[in-house]
Amino acid sequence: AFKRGTHSGVRELYVIDSFDRLDAVDITVQVPKYIPGDITQVAASSLEDIAIVRTSGAKSKLFVYKYLWNGNDKVQSAWSTYDFGNNAEILDASFLDNVLYLVVNRPEGTFLEKMEISVGLSDSGSDYITYLDRRVSAATISGLGLTVKYFPETNLTSIDMPYHAETGEVPMCVSSTGI
């Protein structure tokens, strides 16, 4: 990580040849003002060819570097952002294999959250995965002692969630047949 005025950049260290000579290339050269503030943490998963960056300039965001290798050649790379909401502060982020574990401070408390980062994931009974922020499964809800109540007279189901939605967020409930 290095400073670039009010922003930061990242260099990727690599071996030049069989003599173990090293070089470092700026992997943020195309996006010089993408990462605000100072870089406070970098974590990576070589299983999924991904690195994440935490910064002092955007405490509710992770800056994500995803890359694709074909043999010894990097054939594609891209930067993107995971935004955890205005009221979130990411305190720590670490990979264990292909799972990103996060310690996130929110108005209702501090949470250990996880994101499975893997190609080809799918939901049970589906060919794809539905991506939802702060996703909670029915098994997790019952494990937390939360309740799911069905009201036959209105054909509505009430689910107590372990957190509060931010203003403007719309909670979603997804079954194996869709939303």
Side-chain angles (χ1 to χ4, degrees), residues 140-155:
T140 304
I141 289 174
S142 62
L144 293 172
L146 302 176
T147 58
V148 177
K149 296 177 189 172
Y150 174 68
F151 301 94
E153 62 278 0
T154 59
N155 196 28

Side-chain angles (χ1 to χ4, degrees), residues 76-92:
Q76 191 173 30
S77 64
W79 282 95
S80 61
T81 305
Y82 294 157
D83 189 340
F84 292 81
N86 293 335
N87 294 325
E89 179 182 359
I90 303 163
L91 303 175
D92 193 26

